[in-house]
């Protein structure tokens, strides 16, 4: 393969032209692969790299015109305990402590078998990533602020989010392709699993954009097709709440789950759905793009505003320093949404509320009629504009102002800078959202797809978000517990299959 083509295959550059080259060459090259991987993303790439490194012939099939999957947009925060980097900084940490933190943060709702496997192997994954060129940000690991903090600094990410990981993996995929160990078939959607008469998986059927279908045979099939976070119908069916935000990888359509179910597998964990604390959506479309996020971290910016639910009532002490408590309190509110309410004094005196926006940007959003930004000269009119019950909102503000005056906030809030009394009054509607998939295919401790009776479907494995966030995070957001397990499980299956 010449140099330009090789670069083409490198993570960010692989395109349709390269894929069609592979298509025409495929049949001539091989009729059966040792491992066929459905999805060349976060979990699929390490699986291919490790299997190829052990001399196996791998076929990577992806619906997209590029490899990398969700790594193109993920923040890529990883967590791993017992890494060389930690030791070099004198941080003594163990997988058991990581596991204990997951149990604490998730209140015991993780899948203990899957999560234990993930944390037990995470350090080896992370050390390997660093050995192949991944560089965490200076000063890492950290304990984390984005999610409920761990008890130890074991949280890492690169300068370019998950792209930093992809940039380390790309050349290794390239090497496997050059060595003739990895075949890459892009712009081909796997639409069916083929099986033997006794139900063992024998390969897949894949379809290109023009509908041309080809059958591909393999000794083992690994489903790493990601989640369903971009499939509004499946999201609503499994989460019980509409998909409000469009902020996930477009190819995360849940087809991997359907493929697994088609041969006897089943989906579990839907009840663990949780939303990130609210974001501001760009429009009233459903789903809508994400416009902005408010800074809800009291450690960084003590709140000047109040948060009310659709009943016009406060539901949490706004300066509560637990990310998980904020998320759990929001989970119990109608449609998992809330309004941030304030007055002119706050508008004038508080530090900027919205991340990466100047205060003027926010005030301009009220005047330009941006969706979900409401401003009015009275509380009554504000309630009318924002769709909140006026009497309840007025009572909530009166109660809050009593707390400011006396220091006795009814919810125990301590940061009480100014009463909300000076018109105009403002409200910004925030929507709790999840950009990942909670439910996923059931697997056993060897990551074999299983039936409801626990028996594995022969030759079929799964890794990554297709297992559902609930497996490794439970009903919580545990930092780095999707990217690291995806890479780890891909690595383990690549080594073992
Ligand atoms: C904006 C954002 C930020 C995130 N931040 C973090 C974070 O900081 N830390 C963390 O731990 N997690 C984070 N996550 C979640 C994490 O990034 C993902 O769970 C993980 O990357 C998914 O890996 P995967 O291999 O399962 O799927 P992907 O990486 O999405 O790979 C799946 C691949 O399968 C392909 N595919 C899908 N269907 C088919 C089909 N039928 N046939 C062929 N190919 C198919 C897709 O094109 C894709 O390339 C974030 C997610 C998002 C969206």
């Amino acid at each position: 393969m010449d140099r330009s083509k090789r670069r083409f295959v490198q993570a960010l550059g692989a395109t349709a032209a390269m894929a069609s080259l592979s298509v025409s060459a495929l049949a001539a090259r091989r009729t059966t692969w040792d491992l066929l991987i459905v999805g060349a993303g976060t979990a699929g790439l390490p699986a291919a790299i490790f299997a190829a490194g052990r001399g196996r012939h791998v076929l990577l099939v992806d619906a997209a015109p590029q490899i990398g999957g969700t790594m193109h947009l993920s923040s890529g925060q990883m967590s791993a305990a017992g890494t060389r980097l930690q030791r070099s900084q004198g941080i003594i940490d163990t997988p058991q402590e990581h596991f204990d933190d997951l149990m604490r943060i998730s209140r015991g709702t993780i899948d203990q078998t899957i999560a234990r496997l993930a944390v037990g192997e995470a350090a080896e994954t992370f050390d390997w990533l660093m050995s192949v060129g991944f560089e965490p940000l200076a000063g890492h690991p950290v304990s984390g602020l984005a999610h409920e903090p761990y008890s130890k600094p074991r949280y890492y990410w690169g300068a370019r989010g998950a792209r930093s990981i992809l940039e380390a993996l790309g050349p290794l995929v390239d090497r496997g392709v050059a060595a003739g160990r990895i075949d890459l078939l892009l712009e081909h959607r796997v639409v069916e699993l083929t099986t033997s008469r006794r139900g063992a998986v024998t390969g897949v059927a894949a379809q290109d954009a023009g509908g041309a279908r080809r059958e591909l045979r393999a000794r083992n099939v690994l489903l790493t097709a990601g989640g369903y976070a971009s499939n509004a119908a499946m999201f609503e069916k499994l989460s019980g709440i509409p998909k409000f935000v469009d902020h996930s990888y477009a190819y995360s359509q849940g087809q991997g789950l359907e493929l697994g179910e088609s041969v006897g597998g089943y989906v579990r964990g839907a009840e663990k759905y949780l939303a990130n604390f609210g974001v501001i959506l760009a429009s009233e479309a459903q789903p809508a793009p994400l416009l902005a996020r408010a800074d809800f971290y009291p450690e960084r910016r003590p709140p000047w505003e109040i948060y009310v639910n659709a009943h016009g009532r406060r539901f949490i002490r706004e300066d509560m320093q637990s990310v998980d408590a904020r998320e759990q309190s929001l989970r119990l509110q109608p449609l998992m949404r809330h309004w941030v309410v304030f007055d002119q004094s706050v508008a004038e005196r508080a530090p900027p509320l919205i991340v990466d926006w100047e205060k003027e940007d926010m005030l301009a959003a009220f005047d330009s009629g941006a969706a979900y930004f409401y401003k009015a000269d009275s509380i009554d009119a504000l309630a009318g504009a924002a769709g909140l019950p006026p009497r309840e909102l007025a009572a909530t503000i009166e109660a809050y102002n009593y707390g400011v005056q006396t220091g006795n906030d009814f919810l125990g809030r301590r940061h009480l800078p100014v009463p909300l009394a000076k018109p105009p009054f403002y409200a910004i509607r925030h929507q709790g959202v999840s950009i990942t998939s909670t439910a996923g295919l059931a697997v056993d401790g060897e990551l074999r797809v299983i039936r409801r009776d626990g028996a594995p479907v022969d030759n079929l494995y799964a890794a990554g978000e297709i297992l559902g966030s609930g497996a490794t995070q439970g009903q919580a957001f545990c930092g780095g517990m999707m990217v690291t397990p995806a890479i780890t499980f891909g690595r383990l299956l690549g080594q073992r299959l």
Side-chain angles (χ1 to χ4, degrees), residues 104-171:
R104 169 180 58 83
I105 295 169
S106 74
R107 300 162 331 283
T109 56
I110 48 172
D111 178 321
Q112 296 189 31
T113 306
I114 304 296
R116 201 176 272 289
L117 181 65
V119 297
E121 294 283 342
E124 197 168 328
T125 298
F126 188 78
D127 290 347
W128 168 70
L129 279 176
M130 283 195 66
S131 76
V132 297
F134 170 77
E135 274 185 41
L137 286 171
H140 282 214
V142 293
S143 294
L145 187 64
H147 300 298
E148 192 71 11
Y150 286 125
S151 57
K152 296 260 172 87
R154 66 167 77 97
Y155 199 24
Y156 325 72
W157 57 95
R160 285 166 36 77
R163 277 173 173 262
S164 300
I165 305 171
L166 182 52
E167 284 158 6
L169 300 183

Side-chain angles (χ1 to χ4, degrees), residues 271-309:
E271 73 285 356
K272 297 180 189 174
Y273 181 79
L274 183 65
N276 287 109
F277 207 66
V279 301
I280 307 167
L281 298 172
S283 74
E284 287 171 16
Q286 196 173 295
L290 192 157
L291 179 69
R293 300 168 193 268
D295 190 343
F296 290 123
Y297 296 88
E299 305 87 334
R300 214 160 46 195
R301 180 191 181 279
W304 288 57
E305 306 78 9
I306 57 169
Y307 312 156
V308 304
N309 63 14

